[in-house]
Amino acid sequence: PAMKLSKIGSVALVWMVILGMSSASANVFGKDDRVEMNGKGYPWSAIGRIDLDNNWCTATLIGIDLILTAAHCVLDETGRQRPDLEFMPNYRDGEYKKKAKLTEIWVGSHQPLVDVEQDWAIARISKPLGRRFGTIAVAASDASPSLENHSVTLAGYSMDFWYGNTAGVQDNCAITGVLGARLMHDCDSRPGASGAALFVRTGKNGGLRVVAVNSAERFEDVTTRRLPRPG
């Protein structure tokens, strides 16, 4: 699949937008495999929520003062940065310990609903919350693992899971198909999980690497290239 290489500071980032393949009523595949993100420790501490006017999105600390989310979460209908957005890491049971304002953003597209494959955003926040809550590294272009051979994990604040007050976490999801530069996964998720990072464990020590951004659900029946589920 096509990938976009961006550079913010000294960090080289590969962005692949991930879309879930949805059923007609919900993006949940058979039994709901999500569990509550109850842990205070890493990596869950690095995952948090961004509240919008009438809903919310998920974001992940990828640097001491940088978060990763979806572009449509931080842009308004005109393509401008939404005002007064705040990131709340380790948001659980509707509560959080710290929050920080989004001060500046970099986006893949200012029309993310049209350029779906570029629906990603990096935002700088007003406080170095990564020092306290931890960060999840982003896979570099020459080290990005083959998603055909790895299971992925998604943690997002889906509206259908505890009303988004606690994130739902699903391990061992699979990449199920390819549609152009977009990938489909079978992680259970709903709106509110937009912007959530998909990550894998790599290397002997099981280090975490962000490999993609959760962008949207896919309802239409189209032809895709199927990938084998990882063993």
Side-chain angles (χ1 to χ4, degrees), residues 18-35:
I18 298 289
L19 290 87
M21 181 180 291
S22 176
S23 66
S25 58
N27 202 23
V28 175
F29 307 88
K31 175 180 173 292
D32 191 334
D33 297 307
R34 291 171 292 183
V35 297

Side-chain angles (χ1 to χ4, degrees), residues 97-110:
K97 298 295 184 182
K98 296 286 184 178
K99 64 180 179 179
K101 293 183 179 180
L102 277 61
T103 58
E104 57 182 325
I105 62 171
W106 299 267
V107 297
S109 172
H110 286 274

